[in-house]
Amino acid sequence: MAGTVETGTAVAEVMAELAALEDPKARAVNEKHGDDHGVNLGKLRALAKRLKTQQELAGRLWETDDTAARLLAILICRPKAFGRDELDAMLRGARTPKVHDWLVNYVVKKNPHHEELRVAWSADPDPVVAGAGWALTTERVAKKPEGLDLAGLLDVIETQMKDAPERLQWAMNHCLAQIGIEHPEYRARAIAIGERLEVLKDYPTSPGCTSPFAPAWITEMVARQQGK
């Protein structure tokens, strides 16, 4: 019981510290992207570094349903400690884009159930959940493509990406670009699909940044690789 009291105290202390880091200007910027928190991510990472890995505290912070607390929880948890169903529930309960993205990239990708979840999520009727499945697929395209049906993935992208909801469309587009970048035998088809669908063709891109429009993205990254 003492441990529970200590954790409860720690949660209250951490929440107070997060509240002190709240910046109205940061919140205004984050809210434009659908994220309801105002904590500078550099300061959040510094706090996580100080706290180090604390799985129980991470669980309690996640339970607060506070976006900044959940981001901190992701940074101090043990990714391999979660069960499959636990991660599934966490993803479905991740309300904001940043929590969703960090959970997939920092926790699920390092968890032993990631492949099982990739397959299940990719076929999920919820487009946000399906987007997580596609993000995991993109990771496999780049790092462990053996066993993936790349031609089949391009078929799905070709027929579904144009009309997909925003976050799912973004994840599919990333997968399309990754196939074109990493697999020369599919590059021409990936570029052709991108050019025909024109998804994110007019996306505003800052000077010096790579456009998310797949044909431009593929061409730029391949040129960088060949220029090494």
Side-chain angles (χ1 to χ4, degrees):
M1 196 68 181
T4 303
V5 173
E6 288 169 11
T7 305
T9 304
V11 170
E13 291 171 354
V14 171
M15 294 302 291
E17 192 158 355
L18 288 173
L21 292 173
E22 175 76 22
D23 178 355
K25 290 181 180 178
R27 177 174 284 273
V29 171
N30 290 331
E31 285 182 344
K32 290 180 181 178
H33 303 288
D35 293 309
D36 56 351
H37 77 95
V39 179
N40 176 280
L41 295 181
K43 293 179 179 179
L44 190 77
R45 291 181 186 277
L47 175 56
K49 189 174 182 180
R50 198 176 81 235
L51 290 171
K52 299 187 172 64
T53 302
Q54 295 190 51
Q55 181 69 9
E56 187 180 353
L57 177 58
R60 295 291 294 277
L61 288 171
W62 184 270
E63 289 170 2
T64 66
D65 198 28
D66 176 85
T67 293
R70 284 189 160 187
L71 292 173
L72 181 60
I74 288 167
L75 294 177
I76 67 170
C77 75
R78 286 198 306 275
K80 294 180 180 178
F82 296 100
R84 179 207 179 282
D85 292 346
E86 192 173 9
L87 285 176
D88 184 70
M90 289 171 71
L91 183 86
R92 293 175 192 280
R95 297 177 295 100
T96 63
K98 184 66 72 178
V99 172
H100 180 275
D101 291 342
W102 278 25
L103 181 64
V104 172
N105 287 301
Y106 298 164
V107 181
V108 180
K109 286 181 180 179
K110 300 175 183 177
N111 184 274
H113 300 287
H114 65 89
E115 178 60 17
E116 186 183 349
L117 289 168
R118 180 190 75 81
V119 173
W121 287 346
S122 295
D124 199 275
D126 183 330
V128 176
V129 176
W134 278 91
L136 294 173
T137 298
T138 301
E139 174 89 350
R140 269 203 63 184
V141 166
K143 296 184 177 179
K144 195 179 179 183
E146 298 80 12
L148 279 181
D149 179 6
L150 297 179
L153 289 174
L154 290 175
D155 289 343
V156 175
I157 291 168
E158 190 166 22
T159 57
Q160 297 182 16
M161 182 171 76
K162 181 78 172 178
D163 299 318
E166 184 180 1
R167 286 180 62 75
L168 176 55
Q169 183 185 72
W170 189 274
M172 284 183 163
N173 183 71
H174 191 177
C175 189
L176 173 65
Q178 204 68 55
I179 291 172
I181 293 164
E182 300 290 344
H183 301 279
E185 67 272 28
Y186 293 104
R187 188 168 296 152
R189 186 183 174 200
I191 290 173
I193 290 171
E195 288 175 341
R196 185 164 60 258
L197 299 183
E198 297 187 337
V199 168
L200 300 175
K201 184 175 183 178
D202 300 320
Y203 192 85
T205 306
S206 303
C209 295
T210 303
S211 169
F213 178 49
W217 190 353
I218 293 167
T219 302
E220 170 68 20
M221 297 309 294
V222 170
R224 288 188 197 179
Q225 290 174 356
Q226 294 174 344
K228 286 182 180 178

